[in-house]
Amino acid sequence: MTEEGDDLRLDPGFVARLQPQDRGPCQLYLISPPRLDDGFAETLRAALDGGPAAAFQLRLKDASDEEILRAVENLMPLCAEREVAFILNDRMDLAKACGADGVHLGQGDGDPREARRLLGPAAQIGVTCHDSRHLAMEAGEAGADYVAFGAFFPTGTKETFHRPDPSILGWWSRLFEIPCVAIGGITAENATPLVEAGADFVAVSGAVWKHPAGPAAAVAEFRNVLQARRD
């Protein structure tokens, strides 16, 4: 389903007529696997050895508060050491408690305004906007630091019901200064059209953690894809 006003696909020709902004190269945004083993800190370290990442999101939907905070204790110092933003999924209360760099909110996980009041002006607040221009504009007006569109491809990480066209990235990146994140089933092999369309970040999970050659090799492959600047 799409939000009211989003029922028509963007005409790619319309997007092409908009003046591109100079937004710099697309960057990598890592999302944790849904469950972590005892050695995941070393797995994350290996991934970060493979190339640069702008952010790491801890997304443990079925974990207890204690499990989440234990994972934070193990992983957040590593991200700080590498200057990678540490983002907690959904839980603005735990993000406040542990001093995370920010929080990512799904639709129904809280208001960005509330997150801003709780976490302060320096926090990075992201909002899932699926395939909806309307939700993205609402998130921007509410003070989000980035908006996330997806899933662009089938993914086994979570159940998805929205499949946006890449042109939504071009529309957003040409009209708004707030960064946009592409998410959902992204691999080094299929990321290029999203980068070229206008994604500021590509969010990846399984393509890194399940890569047959290991996470460092996966991130290195993404590094090669993302180094090219958009036209």
Side-chain angles (χ1 to χ4, degrees), residues 41-171:
E42 290 308 310
T43 302
L44 177 58
R45 186 183 299 276
L48 298 179
D49 284 343
F56 171 78
Q57 182 188 135
L58 182 64
R59 184 180 186 276
L60 301 176
K61 286 285 191 179
D62 299 323
S64 66
D65 289 5
E66 291 75 16
E67 290 172 312
I68 293 171
L69 292 174
R70 188 161 56 249
V72 169
E73 184 178 359
N74 289 332
L75 303 176
M76 191 162 69
L78 174 58
C79 289
E81 174 189 317
R82 302 298 186 93
E83 298 185 344
V84 175
F86 188 89
I87 308 296
L88 199 59
N89 181 265
D90 291 354
R91 298 291 300 277
M92 65 178 80
D93 56 338
L94 294 185
K96 174 68 173 179
C98 72
D101 294 309
V103 66
H104 182 89
L105 301 174
Q107 294 295 319
D109 292 325
D111 189 321
R113 297 179 183 87
E114 181 184 354
R116 181 67 66 201
R117 285 193 294 270
L118 181 65
L119 302 178
Q124 297 293 306
I125 298 171
V127 178
T128 294
C129 300
H130 303 305
D131 58 352
S132 173
R133 289 170 279 162
H134 174 72
L135 290 177
M137 288 187 287
E138 281 192 336
E141 290 172 359
D145 293 289
Y146 68 84
V147 297
F149 296 109
F152 284 94
F153 305 104
T155 173
T157 303
K158 58 185 274 189
E159 189 175 14
T160 60
F161 302 96
H162 307 273
R163 191 75 76 234
D165 187 90
S167 61
I168 197 170
L169 300 167
W171 167 80

Side-chain angles (χ1 to χ4, degrees), residues 203-226:
V204 300
S205 184
V208 168
W209 315 123
K210 297 179 181 180
H211 194 285
V219 172
E221 289 179 3
F222 275 104
R223 178 189 59 202
N224 294 334
V225 171
L226 302 182

Side-chain angles (χ1 to χ4, degrees), residues 161-199:
F161 302 96
H162 307 273
R163 191 75 76 234
D165 187 90
S167 61
I168 197 170
L169 300 167
W171 167 80
W172 181 267
S173 65
R174 284 163 169 76
L175 292 180
F176 302 97
E177 293 185 2
I178 298 171
C180 60
V181 178
I183 190 170
I186 299 172
T187 67
E189 289 72 30
N190 64 24
T192 295
L194 304 178
V195 176
E196 293 177 344

